[in-house]
Amino acid sequence: MKYKSVFDIIGPVMIGPSSSHTAGAARIGKMARELFGREPEWATISFYGSFAKTYKGHGTDVAIIGGIMDFETDDERIIQAREIAREKRIRIKIREEEALTDHPNTARIRLGDQNGEMELVGISIGGGKIEITELNGFALRLTGHHPAILVVHEDRFGAVAAVSKVLAESKINIGSMDVSRQDVGKMALMTIEVDEPVEDIVLEKLKMLPEVTQVTKIAD
Amino acid sequence: MFRNVAELVELAESQNKKISDIMIEQEVKVTNRTKEEVLAQMERNLKVMEEAVERGLAGVKSHSGLTGGDAVLLQQYIATGKSLSGDLLLDAVSKAVATNEVNAAMGTICATPTAGSAGVVPGTLFAVQNKLNPSREEKIRFLFTSGAFGFVVANNASISGAAGGCQAEVGSASGMAAAAIVEMAGGTPSQCAEAMAITLKNMLGLVCDPVAGLVEVPCVKRNAMGAANAMVAADMALAGITSRIPCDEVIDAMYKIGQTMPVALRETAMGGLAATPTGRELEAKIFGFSLDKKS
């Protein structure tokens, strides 16, 4: 079941005109911002499929830029997102790609500043709901059937145990877990699907762990 | 958790409950919140819908200039007392249009189930309330009932125009609205499902062909027709008429039709009305180029 809440159907409250092209895009942008953990100095946004064909009319570009600046789907500043980004001196590049992707509404976002870069691929599956399918070249294997969290961490011993201990203490059962890394000792990624809804306080506890660099809820 | 309409109806009827009860109970369970919290969130969504209709009825204009003002025209026409299809039906239509005109103008709306189809559910709700005089809670329940049916469509077919055409958006919204009208009017859970099936059957094959890729033409008028369709189907179901094809099979048919629909007719602005000479002309006027040339 990809949709679990009635508010995925009756909602979100959002700035028009398109739930998948505007609200979904804003959410993909916001997810990128949360995973990057700070306001970037530049962003390159690539649109595929229906996104590439119709983003201007749907405000997909301004929505995704708004999301990158941490705006919610109903934030009226989305309409002026380009101007606001310019004032903040965030350099934005939009690319229309011809490549065919698995899902018609696909966006790839690269964010960066002097301290680092991040790349994420998100799809907008309808009604404002999104899925993240790739992060920094790691394919995310998510069923979409359960709440999921993403933990970016350093590849060292004890990291997985520390994260699973916090979840156990919070009475959250892990349904599936995928750990992948760029190279020994480098950045690594845990994709964890759980059975219970994850409260923000649990995310905060995970963020406090010394091995962990970033934590985000990617599906409710 | 219900997975299809048959299970939803069975759950409601075996426990002598309404569809909205089942949806509320499931939401409480899945999100681990209290009933009060869940009802309060829906109340906030209802408020957004009320404000959008109000704004649309006062008159809006989209940035492209393609849409806006039709809800006002309809209200003025209703006031003349000369309407042919009936004041209640046209009131639903005008309020659906009002919401979608606000959406097209990048105003604040509540997606039901999507933004492009956000007019149908509130449009019908705010029209039938004048006849049925529901309490605040009954209005909130209207949204849970429509949400329950939308939930089944989203999980078994699609509510995305890019994936399944406009049948997945305005079609789903109309079916959801029809079911909710039936519950508010005192119909049974089975009658809600019949209304959903009858509505959706009449929206099958509806293509998503937005002119210039904007959620304006034909989207706003399709919300109007979606609202009318929902009202008529709700009345049919309340009259005791059933759908020969069960609701879940209609939803499945919609899914399969969506999959076989060419990409040109799924929100790409490459076919249908978007590809007409006038569609291309409007597109060139708005963007200074044609999307067609780029494909």
Side-chain angles (χ1 to χ4, degrees):
Chain A
M1 306 280 268
K2 285 194 179 275
Y3 295 79
K4 281 174 290 289
S5 167
V6 69
F7 297 106
D8 293 335
I9 311 298
I10 310 296
V13 172
M14 55 168 283
I15 302 297
S18 167
S19 47
S20 52
H21 288 65
T22 317
R27 283 176 165 173
I28 293 172
K30 194 162 188 298
M31 192 68 78
R33 163 60 182 268
E34 278 172 23
L35 286 164
F36 191 58
R38 56 193 184 273
E39 193 137 270
E41 287 166 8
W42 57 267
T44 303
I45 302 157
S46 307
F47 288 129
Y48 300 83
S50 174
F51 268 4
K53 297 283 178 207
T54 67
Y55 72 93
K56 285 198 174 84
H58 288 111
T60 312
D61 48 351
V62 288
I64 225 165
I65 295 166
I68 289 168
M69 292 189 291
D70 215 18
F71 298 171
E72 301 283 347
T73 55
D74 62 346
D75 194 321
E76 289 180 8
R77 290 177 297 172
I78 280 178
I79 302 167
Q80 281 90 38
R82 269 182 187 273
E83 292 76 34
I84 298 170
R86 205 172 299 132
E87 280 161 24
K88 290 184 166 194
R89 297 181 186 280
I90 303 172
R91 298 189 304 279
I92 307 276
K93 243 189 239 156
I94 304 271
R95 290 191 178 150
E96 297 162 30
E97 305 286 350
E98 292 290 330
L100 289 173
T101 47
D102 291 340
H103 195 278
N105 295 327
T106 301
R108 177 183 295 273
I109 304 177
R110 279 180 61 216
L111 299 179
D113 63 11
Q114 289 170 337
N115 298 317
E117 287 186 29
M118 193 202 74
E119 187 178 62
L120 163 152
V121 176
I123 58 173
S124 185
I125 63 169
K129 207 160 162 60
I130 63 160
E131 285 173 14
I132 304 302
T133 56
E134 203 184 304
L135 182 70
N136 289 335
F138 293 119
L140 301 184
R141 285 175 289 275
L142 288 166
T143 62
H145 297 176
H146 305 283
I149 48 177
L150 207 59
V151 181
V152 182
H153 63 104
E154 289 164 34
D155 177 44
R156 59 172 142 124
F157 66 86
V160 174
V163 168
S164 53
K165 186 163 174 269
V166 169
L167 293 176
E169 282 167 359
S170 310
K171 294 196 166 49
I172 292 172
N173 187 42
I174 297 173
S176 73
M177 187 163 177
D178 191 68
V179 185
S180 47
R181 60 185 182 185
Q182 285 168 329
D183 210 344
V184 178
K186 293 274 178 58
M187 192 200 102
L189 185 71
M190 280 180 241
T191 315
I192 309 168
E193 285 191 325
V194 296
D195 294 337
E196 292 78 17
V198 183
E199 307 285 343
D200 288 345
I201 182 153
V202 179
L203 299 182
E204 291 305 319
K205 277 185 198 160
L206 290 171
K207 275 182 200 162
M208 306 265 281
L209 296 171
E211 305 82 351
V212 170
T213 43
Q214 198 51 247
V215 182
T216 310
K217 212 171 3 176
I218 50 173
D220 283 311
Chain B
M1 202 180 219
F2 57 90
R3 282 164 300 179
N4 52 42
V5 171
E7 287 179 5
L8 174 63
V9 170
E10 164 65 22
L11 272 173
E13 299 202 326
S14 65
Q15 301 173 47
N16 207 10
K17 285 178 179 163
K18 293 177 179 174
I19 298 284
S20 51
D21 290 315
I22 304 296
M23 189 71 250
I24 292 166
E25 282 167 21
Q26 176 167 306
E27 187 67 20
V28 165
K29 210 163 146 194
V30 169
T31 62
N32 216 3
R33 295 188 294 168
T34 65
K35 185 179 172 185
E36 288 67 35
E37 284 171 325
V38 168
L39 289 176
Q41 186 176 350
M42 197 59 97
E43 154 111 57
R44 289 197 291 279
N45 287 357
L46 175 64
K47 192 117 202 352
V48 170
M49 293 176 192
E50 286 169 334
E51 285 164 2
V53 166
E54 204 176 307
R55 195 177 152 203
L57 290 181
V60 285
K61 202 88 195 150
S62 70
H63 300 294
S64 73
L66 281 182
T67 53
D70 288 351
V72 177
L73 286 179
L74 263 171
Q75 283 293 334
Q76 288 166 353
Y77 176 68
I78 294 167
T80 64
K82 292 179 187 161
S83 90
L84 301 173
S85 38
D87 292 355
L88 183 59
L89 184 87
L90 282 190
D91 192 36
V93 168
S94 75
K95 285 169 178 168
V97 168
T99 303
N100 251 74
E101 287 180 338
V102 169
N103 179 63
M106 287 189 92
T108 305
I109 53 100
C110 178
T112 46
T114 67
S117 62
V120 179
V121 169
T124 51
L125 165 59
F126 298 136
V128 297
Q129 72 176 14
N130 294 331
K131 175 134 182 158
L132 301 173
N133 297 314
S135 65
R136 189 79 185 158
E137 188 182 320
E138 281 169 328
K139 285 190 227 175
I140 294 166
R141 280 177 173 274
F142 189 99
L143 302 179
F144 279 103
T145 306
S146 49
F149 284 89
F151 181 85
V152 171
V153 179
N155 281 311
N156 294 292
S158 174
I159 51 168
S160 150
C166 197
Q167 56 170 4
E169 296 205 24
V170 170
S172 302
S174 306
M176 289 158 58
I181 296 166
V182 168
E183 179 174 303
M184 186 176 267
T188 64
S190 305
Q191 285 176 322
C192 293
E194 298 298 345
M196 168 88 186
I198 293 167
T199 312
L200 208 51
K201 282 198 297 189
N202 290 295
M203 305 295 250
L204 290 181
L206 190 57
V207 302
C208 182
D209 52 353
V211 168
L214 300 167
V215 192
E216 299 200 44
V217 177
C219 320
V220 171
K221 292 191 182 81
R222 280 196 189 146
N223 271 265
M225 294 313 152
N229 199 333
M231 297 281 287
V232 174
D235 264 334
M236 287 172 76
L238 287 164
I241 297 170
T242 57
S243 169
R244 290 283 176 222
I245 310 296
C247 193
D248 287 313
E249 291 183 36
V250 177
I251 292 169
D252 192 44
M254 183 182 99
Y255 179 57
K256 287 179 179 142
I257 293 168
Q259 282 188 315
T260 45
M261 217 177 248
V263 170
L265 301 177
R266 286 191 280 172
E267 211 176 341
T268 51
M270 289 158 67
L273 296 170
T276 57
T278 303
R280 291 293 178 220
E281 208 176 288
L282 289 170
E283 185 176 77
K285 207 151 77 187
I286 294 163
F287 294 126
F289 63 83
S290 168
L291 295 167
D292 192 37
K293 298 278 171 350
K294 294 162 58 207
S295 60

